[in-house]
Amino acid sequence: MQLCDTHCHLDDKRFEGDFEAVLERAREAGITRFIIPAAHPEDLERARELAYQYEEVYFASGLHPNYAYLYDETFLRGFLEDRKCIAVGECGLDYYRLEEALAESKLESIEELKRIQKEVFIAQIKLAIAYKKPLIVHIREASADSLEILQTYAQKLSGGVLHCFNADFQLLSLAKKGFYYGIGGVLTFKNARKFVEVFPKIPLKSLLLETDAPYLTPHPHRGERNEPAYIPLVLEKMSEILGISKEILVRTINQNTKVLFGV
């Protein structure tokens, strides 16, 4: 088994003490490629350093919606031109922590913050179109607005993935527009009844695997730091729900990953 963790924040400080061991455990589990998505501008340089230090590591350039007020297109473009930058993101809309983000941004209202999130999301979509790179999308409690924006630009994009798919039925329509669905540890949670119900409705040709490490650790390791070596736990749950062998899922997901990200 040789799989890609398509979304893991290996640039996070929680991996600094044992990074080599984390990669070695991942390799032993059959995870041989890793994509580090951008979140905060301060982390991008570390992501690029890791991508050059390890052949199997790649990164994306973008800005998480919680930090939309920090958007600097010139800064992001500098990374997008790098040969190991294979995507734009993670970008999108996040209405879950608006109060917290408002306090950090020092903007005047939640309405202004939402407007900026939308503008920055669209700006990054346009970057993905310009650089012909796939889009890594973050959506949290903002499905309707996100769907409207993505439907507007979908035909011009070189594909994209809904990272940590939130099990919203209305977002399933994006599969027909070239979008993939990043499936991680949430699928294994005991309270993931809605996700388990929606998951079989995703076309096999639209599935990707991810961890979002160090977050969203799968059962039975909840409460611990997540890492790419836990991907097989998600794969096992996929196989159980769909009644499809892990071998078939691995072949399909690897092909999906190759088509979208080229790795």
Side-chain angles (χ1 to χ4, degrees), residues 114-130:
K114 283 186 173 182
R115 176 183 59 77
I116 290 173
Q117 280 199 13
K118 291 176 184 177
E119 290 176 355
V120 169
F121 185 23
I122 292 170
Q124 291 180 89
I125 290 173
K126 290 180 177 178
L127 281 179
I129 294 169

Side-chain angles (χ1 to χ4, degrees), residues 47-87:
R48 179 161 63 182
E49 288 175 0
L50 291 172
Y52 275 89
Q53 190 173 353
Y54 300 93
E55 183 179 354
E56 66 270 43
V57 175
Y58 304 86
F59 76 100
S61 177
L63 187 67
H64 190 288
N66 284 345
Y67 309 114
Y69 56 91
L70 297 175
Y71 185 66
D72 181 340
E73 184 166 304
T74 302
F75 177 75
L76 296 185
R77 282 180 179 270
F79 290 89
L80 284 168
E81 293 168 359
D82 196 286
R83 68 176 180 83
K84 294 213 73 178
C85 178
I86 60 174

Side-chain angles (χ1 to χ4, degrees), residues 167 183-202 204 207 209 232-246 249:
I183 310 299
V186 175
L187 188 66
T188 72
F189 292 0
K190 292 181 179 179
N191 63 350
R193 291 183 295 274
K194 181 183 178 183
F195 198 177
V196 171
E197 177 187 354
V198 172
F199 175 67
K201 301 182 185 302
I202 303 172
L204 289 180
L207 290 176
L209 275 165
L233 295 171
V234 182
L235 182 68
E236 181 72 38
K237 189 65 176 180
M238 285 182 168
S239 177
E240 174 190 324
I241 293 171
L242 298 176
I244 296 174
S245 72
K246 287 184 286 186
L249 284 172

